[in-house]
């Protein structure tokens, strides 16, 4: 589709096309080509899936990062992790998500943009942020048992259906290491969405320990600390539509 668009503009340099497609807000529209657009292909694929699967797909667009597990997916869709995992498996079979590691899922950039265009209701982002708060507390408790909790839960906390259990410090640190980039994105998204009363960071030093993440009430910090940019990740191939 990008090649067809470029063929219609033989005088355009490749750099101009790349710059045009770099705008996320316009990318899907720019790749529309009658009934062969990315949107049309994704719409056709989703029409063949059960409602519960398409509902979860739409909520995945609200995730602030690039990778998630079944617990984060469950929080987004307000369901339980087992149901979320079953839906993720169906989405993977339809080439809408990719399992990059056991229990870790991601979406192609264009698929994520399409999911973000779907209606999910107002609370999906709040639910997934509160999922990360609850999981962060569980990780700290496992990594540093007996220590005082490093942050309070917000008054309007939305508890997830289930919170990941950590058997010991190594399990907690492994979770934090895997999730650090997405936690960084979650913090930045919360600040951008004026949800900083729900999510604060302190001492974001790059340590791969659960204690490196803390949430605080607004009075604790007059301004949010700077958030380091998430490292660039490779993008999986664009999924093939199911016919």
């Amino acid at each position: 589709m990008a090649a067809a668009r470029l063929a219609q503009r033989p005088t355009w340099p490749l750099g101009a096309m790349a710059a045009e497609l770099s705008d996320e807000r316009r990318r899907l529209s720019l790749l529309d080509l009658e009934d062969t657009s990315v949107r049309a292909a994704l719409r056709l694929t989703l029409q063949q899936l059960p409602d519960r699967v398409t509902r979860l797909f739409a909520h995945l667009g609200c995730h602030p990062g690039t990778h998630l597990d079944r617990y984060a997916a469950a929080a987004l869709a307000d369901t339980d992790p087992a149901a979320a995992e079953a839906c993720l498996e169906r989405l993977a079979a339809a080439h809408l998500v990719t399992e990059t590691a056991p229990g870790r899922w991601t979406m192609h950039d264009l698929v994520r943009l399409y999911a973000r265009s779907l209606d999910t209701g107002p609370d999906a982002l709040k639910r997934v942020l509160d999922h990360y708060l609850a999981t962060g507390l569980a990780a700290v408790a496992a990594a540093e048992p007996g220590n005082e909790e490093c942050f309070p839960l917000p008054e309007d906390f939305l508890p997830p259906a289930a919170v990941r259990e950590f058997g010991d410090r190594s399990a907690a640190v492994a979770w934090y290491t895997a999730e650090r980039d997405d936690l960084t994105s979650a913090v930045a998204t919360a600040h951008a969405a004026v949800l900083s009363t729900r999510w604060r960071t302190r001492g974001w030093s790059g340590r791969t320990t659960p204690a490196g993440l803390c949430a605080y009430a607004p009075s604790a910090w007059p301004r949010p600390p700077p958030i380091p940019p998430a490292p660039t990740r490779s993008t999986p191939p664009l999924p093939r539509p199911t016919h």
Side-chain angles (χ1 to χ4, degrees), residues 22 31 42 61 82 110 131 161 178 203 206 211 230:
S22 67
L31 293 176
L42 293 173
L110 293 178
H131 147 75

Side-chain angles (χ1 to χ4, degrees), residues 202-217:
R202 181 181 183 185
W204 194 259
S205 60
R207 295 176 299 156
T208 53
T209 61
L213 175 72
C214 286
Y216 283 87

Side-chain angles (χ1 to χ4, degrees), residues 35-122:
D35 61 348
T36 60
S37 70
V38 173
R39 254 193 293 252
L42 293 173
R43 189 182 306 116
L44 177 62
T45 300
L46 287 168
Q47 286 174 353
Q48 302 177 53
L49 296 174
D51 289 346
R52 69 182 185 281
V53 179
T54 59
R55 179 179 180 275
L56 182 106
F57 173 83
H59 282 83
L60 295 183
C62 297
H63 189 261
T66 58
H67 289 68
L68 80 169
D69 60 15
R70 65 191 186 116
Y71 292 92
L76 284 165
D78 197 19
T79 186
D80 62 84
E85 185 173 35
C87 291
L88 288 168
E89 294 286 355
R90 291 293 300 270
L91 291 172
H95 308 289
L96 294 172
V97 300
T98 302
E99 191 173 15
T100 57
R104 299 277 296 166
W105 308 83
T106 192
M107 308 171 80
H108 186 278
D109 289 348
L110 293 178
V111 179
R112 185 178 296 109
L113 286 174
Y114 181 73
R116 286 176 181 169
S117 72
L118 304 177
D119 183 26
T120 59

Side-chain angles (χ1 to χ4, degrees), residues 14 17 60 88 92 112 129 142 205 221 238-239 243:
L14 288 175
M17 174 63 75
L60 295 183
L88 288 168
R112 185 178 296 109
L129 292 178
S205 60
W221 289 95
L238 183 65
H243 296 293

Side-chain angles (χ1 to χ4, degrees), residues 109-159:
D109 289 348
L110 293 178
V111 179
R112 185 178 296 109
L113 286 174
Y114 181 73
R116 286 176 181 169
S117 72
L118 304 177
D119 183 26
T120 59
D123 291 332
L125 177 60
K126 293 180 181 179
R127 286 195 301 266
V128 77
L129 292 178
D130 285 349
H131 147 75
Y132 283 127
L133 286 174
T135 310
L137 283 173
V140 170
E144 302 169 2
N147 281 9
E148 183 179 350
E149 291 184 351
C150 73
F151 52 83
L153 293 174
E155 293 182 1
D156 55 348
F157 174 72
L158 300 174

